[in-house]
Amino acid sequence: MGLGTTLTGLVIGTAGVIVVVWPSTGLSAHLLISTFALAGVGIGFAVVPFQILLQEQTPEAMTGRVFGTVGSVMTASNIMGPVVGGFMVTSFGVVPAFVSSGILLSLLGLIYLMKHKGEKSDLNGSIAAKTMIAGD
């Protein structure tokens, strides 16, 4: 998931740079299309494992709560994303918004990779979830 997030961030940042370096040539369009294809791969590396881990690690008794929370957070991010993006573009311009978003997304992915390097995940649910179930 961290690799996919990092790859997507690099693509977004690179797209901003490509538009500045080659603004009116046909080469920039081809580079953008190929880099956005990489972004699709990166999104796949981030979203698919997240959904799989969510289903595998959620205890059966917590399914409604966990999926409800994840759905709410995803909906909130879908609503707030364009608002924050519009504010960034209006305030700083298109290229700085793309480059800063790409850098921040890449840093987020790298932090995730460094944090989880060498860690093995427990596929039986978290301790907090097990405690909540035992308390019910």
Side-chain angles (χ1 to χ4, degrees):
M1 289 188 300
L3 178 64
T5 304
T6 303
L7 180 63
T8 304
L10 289 173
V11 168
I12 290 172
T14 303
V17 173
I18 288 173
V19 170
V20 171
V21 174
W22 297 293
S24 61
T25 64
L27 179 63
S28 65
H30 295 296
L31 283 173
L32 286 174
I33 289 171
S34 61
T35 57
F36 286 141
L38 281 175
V41 170
I43 293 293
F45 281 168
V47 172
V48 172
F50 173 73
Q51 293 294 329
I52 290 171
L53 287 173
L54 191 64
Q55 290 180 7
E56 285 180 345
Q57 292 188 356
T58 303
E60 192 173 325
M62 301 286 290
T63 302
R65 294 179 211 172
V66 170
F67 281 91
T69 303
V70 168
S72 296
V73 169
M74 297 287 245
T75 301
S77 66
N78 284 337
I79 293 170
M80 291 305 297
V83 173
V84 172
F87 174 75
M88 287 177 63
V89 167
T90 303
S91 300
F92 308 112
V94 175
V95 174
F98 268 79
V99 172
S100 62
S101 296
I103 289 171
L104 291 173
L105 196 57
S106 295
L107 286 174
L108 181 68
L110 289 173
I111 289 169
Y112 181 83
L113 284 173
M114 286 189 279
K115 183 179 178 221
H116 293 287
K117 189 175 186 179
E119 247 182 55
K120 292 190 178 189
S121 63
D122 176 21
L123 295 178
N124 296 323
S126 68
I127 294 171
K130 288 178 186 176
T131 305
M132 290 175 78
I133 292 172
D136 285 345

